[in-house]
Amino acid sequence: GKWHMGVNCKSRRDHCHHPSNHGFDYFYGMPFTLLNECQGTDDPELAKSLQDTYWLYTEMIIFAVLSLLIGKLTNLFSVKWKIIIYLAICGLLYFISWFSSYGFTKYWNCILMRNHDITEQPMNLEKTTSKMLKEAVSFIERNKHRPFLLFVSLLHVHTPLVTTARFQGRSKHGLYGDNVEEMDWMVGKWLLDVIDKEGLKNTTFIYFASDHGGSLEAHRGNAQFGGWNGIYKGGKGMGGWEGGIRVPGIVRWPGVLPAGRVINELTSLMDIFPTVVQLAGGAVPQDRIIDGRTLLPLLMGTAQRSGHEFMFHYCGVFLHAVRWHQKDSGTIWKAHYATPVFQPETSGACFERGICPCFGEGITHHNPPLLFDLSQDPSEANPLSADTESLFDAVMRRIGKAVEEHRKTLTPVPQQLSPYNNIWKPWLQPCCGTFPFCWCDEENTEA
């Protein structure tokens, strides 16, 4: 499915970020992410505000060149042809430099790979999910006689919400609801059914979850495309608000785990790694800090509390919030050091930007931090203060100490989201043909 970790570091074929270089034996899916551009029917999604700025500068250059040209031809003012030609060439190079990154996104980034080979560029988005599911079923059938780990990262329920005709209009919640219903059907009728059919039901641990809450800014007109976060404030990409990070998890392991049990304890997707390692009879590495905690004691009832006392919620490299699950009382405190500035202010999202920033003018820093008791106020509607909460100072001191201890465990790494790392580099571009003529459809050719 959707890998979204990239492929190359220094050359087109080094594949340093490829799944096979990070523990996986087999890969089929998208090496990048899913964007509106992949469908080609919706408004551009990738760096939309930045694209608008680039277009403005391009139009200014065009206007300047045309003004000089008209002035030269009508003798309104004297200007050398060299200057006009030089400015026109510079403008053309500027346009090519940014449009190659964003104008050809569908052809550069919306691709399918099987292991190290590109099989479809650009991919046919309407057929991609069914191809991935068939691949997953085939993987289960090939490996049913031995232990296996299958990680399926579906393209549902992500914009542009590609939904087959069979499920369009089925939900009361618009296209997003249709997409959720189709995802539910796909997981049940494709993945779980083959597990049951192959007699693996009682020996297979299944964990279903989302990587974040709903994306509130995803919309078309008045229709919201990014889900609904209920009573929880905020959404995807907002650092610390509950709406962006609180998601349900569903676990199935018949014969081992009791059905219908609900666990209201703090866990994390980081817990999948140590859980899988324990299931496989291995041991987690001892030469580094492992942030996850195995879920098995909690799931099997041998532990009543989560292994996480503190959780640190980041936006990019910036620590926005810290959660403290107080062991002696069971109270869950959360302190916000920084929060995004909503646009409009009362909207609860960053509609004008398209996505909330992690730093700069779009962020409000809080000193003292905003403190909430999530046990009593899960909506984060009523920040506490020293006047309204007698434990305020003590809680902030304990959280502050936890942050200090946490930062000691961090090892600096190169900034992944630097401007240089986010510009298009032709020498890193995966291509199934002769660059820049990247075009192939091996999927249908094989069929």
Side-chain angles (χ1 to χ4, degrees):
K2 189 177 71 152
W3 175 240
H4 200 171
M5 302 295 286
V7 183
N8 301 316
C9 287
K10 296 180 179 179
S11 69
R12 186 170 296 136
R13 296 294 299 176
D14 67 27
H15 290 187
C16 67
H17 298 305
H18 191 278
S20 65
N21 287 326
H22 295 274
F24 289 93
D25 300 310
Y26 184 81
F27 171 65
Y28 180 79
M30 288 188 72
F32 307 121
T33 189
L34 181 63
L35 298 161
N36 285 345
E37 284 88 336
C38 294
Q39 191 176 37
T41 56
D42 288 339
D43 291 335
E45 182 179 11
L46 186 64
K48 189 176 186 308
S49 60
L50 194 59
Q51 287 191 62
D52 291 341
T53 302
Y54 289 153
W55 265 119
L56 176 62
Y57 291 158
T58 301
E59 289 169 349
M60 290 171 63
I61 294 173
I62 293 173
F63 179 76
V65 171
L66 289 176
S67 298
L68 291 175
L69 184 62
I70 293 172
K72 176 72 172 178
L73 295 175
T74 59
N75 294 319
L76 287 175
F77 45 81
S78 177
V79 61
K80 294 181 179 180
W81 280 109
K82 286 183 178 180
I83 295 177
I84 299 175
I85 294 172
Y86 176 77
L87 187 60
I89 292 174
C90 288
L92 180 63
L93 292 175
Y94 172 77
F95 172 75
I96 292 174
S97 68
W98 71 263
F99 192 78
S100 58
S101 297
Y102 301 112
F104 297 103
T105 296
K106 180 175 182 177
Y107 302 95
W108 294 148
N109 293 342
C110 302
I111 62 179
L112 273 180
M113 296 183 75
R114 179 180 281 105
N115 291 324
H116 291 276
D117 298 321
I118 298 173
T119 62
E120 198 171 77
Q121 185 175 18
M123 65 184 189
N124 183 338
L125 195 55
E126 282 71 24
K127 298 180 179 179
T128 299
T129 296
S130 63
K131 291 175 182 176
M132 289 181 180
L133 287 169
K134 290 176 183 176
E135 199 79 21
V137 169
S138 175
F139 179 87
I140 294 171
E141 292 172 344
R142 292 197 308 270
N143 293 279
K144 62 185 177 182
H145 296 302
R146 60 177 181 172
F148 64 83
L149 168 68
L150 172 62
F151 171 38
V152 181
S153 183
L154 295 167
L155 302 186
H156 291 51
V157 288
H158 193 291
T159 52
L161 299 178
V162 177
T163 309
T164 60
R166 176 179 179 180
F167 282 88
Q168 289 178 11
R170 293 247 314 232
S171 168
K172 296 179 181 178
H173 299 280
L175 185 58
Y176 185 88
D178 297 341
N179 210 242
V180 172
E181 290 201 10
E182 184 168 34
M183 177 186 66
D184 177 76
W185 175 82
M186 290 188 303
V187 171
K189 291 298 182 182
W190 284 77
L191 302 179
L192 298 190
D193 273 9
V194 71
I195 292 287
D196 296 350
K197 186 187 75 173
E198 298 295 345
L200 303 173
K201 182 175 182 178
N202 292 334
T203 56
T204 304
F205 178 89
I206 297 172
Y207 184 38
F208 177 88
S210 175
D211 55 345
H212 53 68
S215 175
L216 302 182
E217 290 86 3
H219 65 283
R220 183 192 296 160
N222 294 324
Q224 185 172 332
F225 276 6
W228 180 64
N229 297 320
I231 65 170
Y232 304 114
K233 181 180 288 187
K236 173 185 175 182
M238 295 190 191
W241 292 121
E242 289 293 279
I245 54 183
R246 186 187 286 237
V247 297
I250 303 173
V251 178
R252 190 185 87 150
W253 196 2
V256 179
L257 302 179
R261 184 164 170 240
V262 178
I263 300 174
N264 289 307
E265 285 291 306
L266 176 66
T267 65
S268 164
L269 291 185
M270 295 186 294
D271 298 336
I272 295 174
F273 172 62
T275 302
V276 167
V277 169
Q278 183 177 353
L279 286 168
V284 296
Q286 300 299 309
D287 61 344
R288 69 204 72 175
I289 299 294
I290 301 297
D291 294 307
R293 303 287 186 270
T294 176
L295 294 169
L296 294 182
L298 200 60
L299 294 172
M300 292 181 170
T302 58
Q304 300 304 313
R305 288 288 178 86
S306 165
H308 297 283
E309 182 178 7
F310 291 93
M311 292 291 288
F312 305 92
H313 303 299
Y314 281 81
C315 186
V317 298
F318 301 95
L319 181 66
H320 274 210
V322 179
R323 181 189 314 254
W324 178 25
H325 192 174
Q326 197 170 354
K327 290 184 177 180
D328 53 357
S329 69
T331 303
I332 302 175
W333 306 97
K334 190 160 75 166
H336 288 264
Y337 292 91
T339 55
V341 177
F342 294 143
Q343 300 172 321
E345 187 175 345
T346 59
S347 65
C350 301
F351 289 112
E352 294 175 14
R353 287 178 176 263
I355 187 172
C356 289
C358 296
F359 62 93
E361 296 179 357
I363 291 295
T364 300
H365 294 274
H366 302 283
N367 188 18
L370 298 178
L371 181 67
F372 298 93
D373 177 359
L374 296 184
S375 315
Q376 305 296 324
D377 181 21
S379 299
E380 298 174 284
N382 303 300
L384 304 172
S385 66
D387 296 330
T388 60
E389 175 54 63
S390 60
L391 296 175
F392 183 88
D393 292 332
V395 169
M396 290 312 309
R397 282 195 300 270
R398 182 65 188 94
I399 291 178
K401 182 180 179 182
V403 171
E404 289 180 14
E405 295 170 352
H406 163 67
R407 284 184 168 147
K408 292 176 183 177
T409 70
L410 301 179
T411 302
V413 297
Q415 170 59 275
Q416 295 289 310
L417 299 176
S418 66
Y420 175 76
N421 282 334
N422 275 271
I423 61 173
W424 179 62
K425 302 179 182 66
W427 58 92
L428 298 183
Q429 178 63 53
C431 180
C432 64
T434 301
F435 184 82
F437 305 104
C438 306
W439 188 287
C440 64
D441 189 0
E442 294 182 13
E443 298 287 332
N444 287 334
T445 300
E446 291 178 5

